[in-house]
Amino acid sequence: MIERETFLNAAVVAGCPEDQTRNFITAKVLLQERQLIASAAARLCDQPDGPTAIGYGGARGGGKSHWLLAQMGADDCQRVPGLKCLLLRKVGKANLEHFEDLRRRLFNQLPHDFSAFRGILSFNNGSRIIAGHFQNEKDIDAYLGLEYDVIGIEEATTLTARKYQDITTCCRTSKPNWRPRIYSTTNPGGVGHAWYRTKFIVPFQGAKEDETRFIPARVSDNSFNNPEYRKVLEHLSGWQKRAWLDGDWDIAAGQYFTTLRREVHVIEDFDDTRAREWFAALDYGFAHYTVVLLGCRDGDGNTFIVDEHAARLWLPQRHAEAIKAMVARHQMNGVVAMRGQPRLSMRSQAEVQTRPLMLSDLQRFVAGADVFSRQSDGTTIAGQYEKHGITLRVANTDRVHGWAEVMQGFGEPNVGLAEGGVRPTLFIHKRCARLIETLPALQHDPNRPEDVLKVDADEDGVGGDDAADALRYLVATKSRQIREMKLRGL
Ligand SMILES: Nc1ncnc2c1ncn2[C@@H]1O[C@H](COP(=O)(O)OP(=O)(O)OP(=O)(O)O)[C@@H](O)[C@H]1O
Ligand SMILES: [Mg+2]
């Protein structure tokens, strides 16, 4: 139990306005020190030049979820009648039952109705909290399109920047006495780590917070955690321990390709005729995506990933057609015989023209080893592609070596060439949307830090590392060297 006296002192130190402290006392919701700091920050959102987003993040078990519902229900909903709040929670870790428990515990002193069926908690003054549950990002769409005065997001780093952006567009109000706001709680790591860090943590660390306020959470903030819980966190290793026990956001360990810079590596335009050599790579999936990347190398040793084909739930035949169409979208310089001349005429009688690229122009078309393993009916995926005119050969599938090659290709754009920085030699055309979205989200494998943590796409095909695997195959597999050797002794 938190003593009332301790609570009151902590509320003053945190800078909570008196009426807020009173609201919590009335509801008998006694928050802890760090939670009160978050609540004081939430009140700053009332001011015309105050923040519009509050982030409470860091270690696991710091009391973040408890705070979020408390702030919305015991403070915001009580002081503004008819307030409409949306609380987005990820199911799995915290399902509706959890919400039920928390609601009962937090609001047993506040008269309210709760419709478990509709997931709506209503207070007597007409204020409501709509409990929105999501498993995949796409589930959130069901709640969007409407207007909410407050939006609370649990586990915000499980969302991509785009989804967070979508959510913010629904945070608006028609109430003259209210400024709309977003409260989020989260732990470091996850697909949203990078944008969350940029939006909340960097301004916090640089003491330059404008639209946001960030409250760092530590496991030690919460006296309600049992001692065993801390032990569980202490037994973690690598970046997870730093993230979940210490709430450390500077886990470069989180992101694998820290040298990837959109402004350097993603190109708007590419002149196909610069290519000296063309190649492609395929990462196979059926339920998961099949991703094919088309790349080329120019005369200066730069590699360009110029096109991408990504689809799932398709049979090889359909992929094969799409791959051929993708290849044919590109041009190459070819020596073409002049009209009326015999085909093997002298070069001077031929002219150089661009023509559509063909599969047979590719120096190599590689795929992961799974494509070559026999299925129960004796066939291989590679065999099926062969039937449709695509000859695949096995890629270099050494993961650590492959990632190192990709890393080498990105160079060191943040270090000047004069200071010995490695020049980037690997570039991606902006049309390769899936690859561009995948790469920054890749994380180190905590058990094998030099490797990338494997991730599958969700049911809607969001996320997953298929495009990155295709890039690894493409970059790490070199053309066969044809070497002339003298036969000796025979
Ligand atoms: N002020 C409080 N009064 C009573 N119980 C609290 C208080 N703050 C937190 N708790 C309890 O501590 C436990 C952990 O808190 P909570 O689930 O909010 O942490 P969290 O930071 O959201 O954890 P995670 O990082 O795992 O999501 C919960 O059982 C919660 O109800
Ligand atoms: Mg939580």
Side-chain angles (χ1 to χ4, degrees):
M1 271 293 287
I2 302 171
E3 296 296 329
R4 196 182 146 107
E5 209 54 36
T6 316
F7 166 81
L8 289 173
N9 284 336
V12 171
V13 173
C16 293
E18 267 176 39
D19 68 308
Q20 185 180 41
T21 309
R22 227 177 298 121
N23 283 342
F24 287 133
I25 293 276
T26 309
K28 289 212 167 55
V29 169
L30 300 188
L31 295 179
Q32 306 174 79
E33 234 170 84
R34 186 79 56 166
Q35 294 168 321
L36 286 165
I37 294 174
S39 281
R43 281 297 193 103
L44 294 180
C45 299
D46 291 353
Q47 297 171 9
D49 56 351
T52 50
I54 305 296
Y56 188 6
R60 297 287 306 269
K64 305 180 295 292
S65 300
H66 189 98
W67 166 78
L68 180 55
L69 191 59
Q71 176 57 36
M72 278 181 158
D75 186 28
D76 295 335
C77 281
Q78 303 312 310
R79 65 200 178 101
V80 182
L83 202 69
K84 188 171 162 202
C85 313
L86 173 66
L87 174 55
L88 291 168
R89 295 168 67 93
K90 197 165 164 80
V91 267
K93 186 174 159 224
N95 54 21
L96 199 62
E97 235 171 81
H98 244 107
F99 181 77
E100 271 282 76
D101 288 352
L102 200 52
R103 165 187 79 83
R104 283 217 185 92
R105 227 170 329 138
L106 276 169
F107 303 140
N108 63 5
Q109 300 294 314
L110 292 175
H112 67 275
D113 276 334
F114 181 63
S115 153
F117 175 65
R118 292 164 57 220
I120 299 182
L121 189 154
S122 321
F123 295 99
N124 289 353
N125 63 357
S127 291
R128 287 168 294 165
I129 299 177
I130 296 144
H133 290 84
F134 67 94
Q135 180 129 46
N136 304 310
E137 272 200 351
K138 199 157 179 292
D139 302 338
I140 291 177
D141 296 347
Y143 303 99
L144 303 184
L146 297 169
E147 197 175 275
Y148 302 97
D149 301 311
V150 186
I151 299 182
I153 309 174
E154 286 264 48
E155 315 284 334
T157 54
T158 62
L159 304 179
T160 56
R162 198 189 307 158
K163 192 52 68 174
Y164 182 82
Q165 191 58 39
D166 290 350
I167 295 171
T168 53
T169 60
C170 303
C171 193
R172 49 180 193 255
T173 192
S174 42
K175 292 185 181 55
N177 57 344
W178 185 253
R179 268 183 99 226
R181 67 209 50 196
I182 297 189
Y183 303 143
S184 60
T185 72
T186 198
N187 308 114
V191 289
H193 179 91
W195 72 259
Y196 199 89
R197 186 173 176 279
T198 308
K199 185 173 173 71
F200 288 99
I201 289 85
V202 172
F204 166 74
Q205 288 173 339
K208 286 204 177 89
E209 291 182 300
D210 181 16
E211 290 163 17
T212 59
R213 289 294 182 280
F214 178 71
I215 293 84
R218 304 215 171 73
V219 63
S220 51
D221 295 337
N222 184 2
S223 58
F224 294 89
N225 281 329
N226 47 3
E228 294 75 38
Y229 187 68
R230 196 190 165 94
K231 290 222 174 69
V232 171
L233 297 180
E234 275 166 358
H235 277 110
L236 294 169
S237 61
W239 71 266
Q240 255 174 342
K241 181 171 181 177
R242 286 173 54 205
W244 291 0
L245 176 67
D246 308 327
D248 182 354
W249 283 88
D250 289 323
I251 41 166
Q255 192 184 12
Y256 195 93
F257 292 113
T258 48
T259 49
L260 179 65
R261 297 280 178 283
R262 183 171 265 274
E263 63 282 10
V264 174
H265 298 108
V266 177
I267 52 170
E268 297 278 317
D269 248 330
F270 181 72
D271 173 8
D272 286 347
T273 59
R274 273 175 68 184
R276 295 284 174 277
E277 186 191 33
W278 287 91
F279 32 76
L282 175 145
D283 183 60
Y284 172 77
F286 181 73
H288 293 172
Y289 274 84
T290 285
V291 178
V292 178
L293 298 176
L294 177 67
C296 64
R297 193 183 295 268
D298 71 2
D300 300 324
N302 297 308
T303 300
F304 298 88
I305 312 301
V306 297
D307 216 332
E308 155 186 286
H309 160 70
R312 62 195 192 117
L313 308 176
W314 284 16
L315 293 172
Q317 183 174 359
R318 197 162 158 208
H319 282 301
E321 291 316 310
I323 292 165
K324 286 177 201 162
M326 170 179 76
V327 169
R329 281 200 289 269
H330 296 273
Q331 304 286 314
M332 78 170 279
N333 278 333
V335 178
V336 179
M338 291 199 15
R339 210 178 280 277
Q341 300 289 338
R343 188 134 179 77
L344 288 172
S345 62
M346 283 170 61
R347 208 186 154 89
S348 59
Q349 290 171 315
E351 64 178 83
V352 175
Q353 276 185 357
T354 57
R355 62 157 173 83
L357 188 67
M358 291 185 289
L359 275 174
S360 54
D361 295 318
L362 304 184
Q363 297 288 316
R364 56 185 186 275
F365 197 148
V366 297
D370 50 342
V371 163
F372 300 89
S373 57
R374 287 209 182 277
Q375 299 180 306
S376 53
D377 61 358
T379 63
T380 63
I381 303 291
Q384 296 178 36
Y385 274 92
E386 183 80 55
K387 260 193 240 154
H388 300 292
I390 295 181
T391 305
L392 297 169
R393 75 177 177 88
V394 69
N396 179 347
T397 54
D398 178 332
R399 293 177 61 87
V400 172
H401 166 78
W403 299 130
E405 289 268 329
V406 175
M407 193 84 102
Q408 178 72 27
F410 289 144
E412 294 173 310
N414 40 348
V415 183
L417 291 181
E419 295 137 56
V422 178
R423 186 176 66 85
T425 54
L426 177 59
F427 304 91
I428 304 169
H429 193 281
K430 65 172 182 195
R431 69 168 75 86
C432 304
R434 194 164 180 90
L435 180 63
I436 293 166
E437 194 176 307
T438 303
L439 291 173
L442 295 178
Q443 313 269 307
H444 283 268
D445 181 342
N447 298 317
R448 201 173 178 236
E450 64 280 19
D451 198 354
V452 165
L453 185 66
K454 290 186 191 170
V455 274
D456 287 338
D458 65 25
E459 290 159 14
D460 302 301
V462 175
D465 49 14
D466 318 281
D469 282 341
L471 176 67
R472 176 164 61 82
Y473 298 155
L474 189 125
V475 171
T477 317
K478 304 290 181 246
S479 285
R480 276 199 200 107
Q481 297 279 329
I482 300 168
R483 290 196 295 161
E484 284 183 29
M485 304 223 294
K486 269 192 185 153
L487 293 175
R488 275 182 301 166
L490 286 174

